[in-house]
Structures are given as C-alpha cells and as structure tokens.
Amino acid sequence: MSSNSEPPAYAGAAAVPLVVANGRRARLTRALGSSGAAYVFLFPWLAGFLILTAGPALYSLYLSFTDYDLINVPRWAGLDNYMRIATNDPKFQDSVRVTLTFVLLSVPLKLAVALGVAMLLNRGLRGLTVYRAIFYLPSLLGTSVAIAVLWRQLFAGDGLINNLLLGFGIQGPSWISNPDTALYTLVILAVWQFGSPMIIFLAGLRQIPADIYEAARMDGASKSRQFWRITLPMLTPVVFFNAVVQTIDAFKAFTSAFIISGGTGGPVNSTLFYTLYLYQEAFGYFRMGYAAALAWILLVIIALFTAFSFLSARYWVHYDD
C-alpha cells in the first residue's frame, strides 16, 4: 500500500503530454521571437488582406493583359487593352474629361461650403448637436439610390426646380436632358453632401486657441483679416486632409451618374463618369480584361493626384503651432 505523500501512478503518464505541449510552445515561441504574439493577432487581418484584397487586385492586374468575357478562359493579349485605351477609344477620353471636370468643380465647392457652415456652427449656437446632425444627414443619404432618383425628379423638365423658376416667369430647361447642364446637376448633388468634411472642419476650428483671435481684435484686425491670417493658415492640415479624401471620393463617384442617366452616361456622354464607363465595359459588354485595364489606369490617376497633393503640401500646409 502506497503512502499518501507519494503521487499516484497515473500522474506521471498525464504529465508527459503536458511536457510535450510545453516543449512545442517553447519551440514556437523561439521560432516567432519576441513578436510572436503580435504575429498571431495580426494573422486574421493579414489573411483577409491577402485573400480578399491583394489576391483579387493582382488577379485583376493579370486580367488587364487578357481578353476575358466571364465565360471563356482568359486569353493572353499583352498590351492590346492598354494600346486601345491610349489610341482608339473616344469614350475613354470623354469619361476622363467628364470625371476631371466633376472633380475640379465639386471638390473645391464642397470644401468651401463645408468650411462656411462649420464656421457658422462654431459661433456657439444653441442646439449645436442638432444642427450638426441635420447638416451631416446629406452625407449619409446623398450617395443612395433614393436620393439620386429624387434628384432626377427635381431637375427634370417638369420638376420642382423648373416649377419654382416658372413662378418668377423663367422657363427652365430640362436640366438632366441637356448636355450643357446635366453634369452640373451632379456637381450640385455632390456639393450638397458636405456633411463629412464639415464635421472635420468644425473639429479643426475648435483647436484654434481663442487668445489668438482676441490678440488680433485688440490689434484692430477685421474679421476678413482674421480669417485669411489666422483661421485659414491654421486649418491648412485639415484642408489638406479633406481635399485628399474628397478628391479620391469624387474620382470614385458612380451611383448618381448611373441613376440620373439611366446607366448610359448621357446625354451625349455628358455624365459618363470613368467608373460608369468601366461598369459598362465590364457588365454591359462583358469585356472584363478591358475593364480591368481601365481600373488600373484609374488607380494610377488617383495615385498621381494624391502624390501631387503630398508633394505640394510642403508649400502651403503649416503644421507649426
């Protein structure tokens, strides 16, 4: 009979797997180094990035060099897609012209409206959170299909805008059916969605010390001079951030042009955004290889605009206190 101080016979057998597991854990820890835990926690994101982002992106790069119609096996075409885009595609040129016009008009106007509203809200109004929510609402709803349909009804030949103009004796055109005005209705819709940059401007305005304005007032500086000499220079990092984000968003605009033009980009390609043309090539004509080449060119255009913004920032963005 064994004494109570001796361990039971099965304890030794149970301890063997535990020792082996500890040994494996120790070898794994040595293999991963001191950052092993970080790699383990990063693995889900890394796997998602490789499978859902990097993998499809690289595959689309491969497709851009092929002739692919979703049914047959991709056939290697070399640079044919890119050569056709560069030399023999008038719709590509139209889509670039329309998109650049939209970006150059909508982004500065949206930032100007957002900054103006943010400065009004920064005056210590009562119920500021309510006003902030109301002005932010278009940013949540503006890109929806419902708002695009509403916009088409507002600017139709017999829409609300023309009915209001008729009250002043003005006969307005059919804004969305006229190639001279159709794009500008989309610009107005984009500017109306100023809520997101407005919130960021408002946060930036709150960071400017009040004693700087007080000192400027004591020196006799007018409101206009305070804006150009204090507010705008100290807001340049926020302006820069908003400009980059809104420019990228403008290049990706799709829903409003698709709904208002019925997916055609008309009239006369006046609302043929780049993304809409890409969609037509991919899902209208099933030229996936060609659409992939268009997508990569859009990526390069956005990258060039962003790189130019960062390079020019050193001349007009001030990070000093």
Side-chain angles (χ1 to χ4, degrees):
M1 184 174 179
S2 63
S3 65
N4 294 335
S5 60
E6 295 180 350
Y10 58 81
V16 172
L18 181 61
V19 171
V20 173
N22 288 336
R24 290 175 179 172
R25 188 179 301 122
R27 286 195 296 274
L28 181 62
T29 302
R30 285 196 297 272
L32 294 176
S34 58
S35 304
Y39 287 121
V40 170
F41 283 108
L42 278 174
F43 178 75
W45 176 88
L46 194 59
F49 172 74
L50 293 175
I51 296 172
L52 302 177
T53 304
L58 292 176
Y59 187 62
S60 75
L61 180 61
Y62 161 71
L63 289 180
S64 70
F65 295 100
T66 66
D67 183 9
Y68 181 45
D69 60 0
L70 271 182
I71 299 176
N72 298 305
V73 177
R75 183 177 58 83
W76 183 258
L79 295 174
D80 287 357
N81 290 329
Y82 291 98
M83 291 298 293
R84 181 191 159 199
I85 291 172
T87 61
N88 189 26
D89 190 350
K91 290 189 73 174
F92 166 76
Q93 298 172 11
D94 287 342
S95 65
V96 170
R97 176 181 54 78
V98 170
T99 303
L100 287 178
T101 305
F102 176 77
V103 171
L104 295 177
L105 287 177
S106 66
V107 173
L109 288 174
K110 180 191 287 189
L111 294 185
V113 173
L115 178 57
V117 175
M119 292 182 68
L120 288 176
L121 295 181
N122 193 42
R123 293 185 172 183
L125 298 175
R126 288 185 177 179
L128 176 61
T129 55
V130 175
Y131 289 116
R132 195 164 50 194
I134 292 174
F135 284 120
Y136 189 74
L137 198 57
S139 290
L140 298 177
L141 303 176
T143 56
S144 65
V145 174
I147 293 298
V149 172
L150 174 64
W151 217 254
R152 186 173 60 185
Q153 299 301 323
L154 286 175
F155 287 93
D158 56 350
L160 178 63
I161 301 298
N162 278 349
N163 286 329
L164 290 176
L165 291 176
L166 203 59
F168 297 95
I170 302 173
Q171 180 63 51
S174 179
W175 304 91
I176 59 174
S177 301
N178 188 336
D180 294 330
T181 57
L183 179 60
Y184 301 112
T185 63
L186 299 180
V187 171
I188 295 172
L189 175 58
V191 173
W192 180 61
Q193 303 162 25
F194 62 86
S196 178
M198 181 268 294
I199 293 292
I200 300 173
F201 276 133
L202 188 57
L205 289 169
R206 294 297 180 90
Q207 300 303 314
I208 300 177
D211 54 354
I212 297 180
Y213 290 107
E214 186 176 349
R217 283 193 295 270
M218 292 178 65
D219 290 340
S222 64
K223 290 290 185 182
S224 173
R225 193 173 181 84
Q226 291 177 31
F227 172 78
W228 292 108
R229 295 294 185 180
I230 299 175
T231 305
L232 199 55
M234 299 196 73
L235 271 184
T236 49
V238 181
V239 174
F240 172 69
F241 174 80
N242 273 334
V244 171
V245 171
Q246 296 303 321
T247 301
I248 294 174
D249 277 349
F251 271 112
K252 297 188 303 179
F254 172 78
T255 304
S256 56
F258 181 83
I259 297 299
I260 289 178
S261 70
T264 64
V268 200
N269 292 338
S270 59
T271 59
L272 185 65
F273 283 3
Y274 194 98
T275 51
L276 180 54
Y277 178 49
L278 193 156
Y279 173 85
Q280 290 177 348
E281 288 291 329
F283 300 102
Y285 306 113
F286 295 103
R287 292 194 280 256
M288 289 294 172
Y290 195 74
L294 288 171
W296 276 94
I297 290 177
L298 177 61
L299 175 66
V300 171
I301 293 173
I302 293 176
L304 289 176
F305 263 82
T306 306
F308 174 77
S309 301
F310 275 89
L311 289 175
S312 65
R314 70 181 66 178
Y315 300 107
W316 62 276
V317 179
H318 308 288
Y319 290 102
D320 294 335
D321 294 335

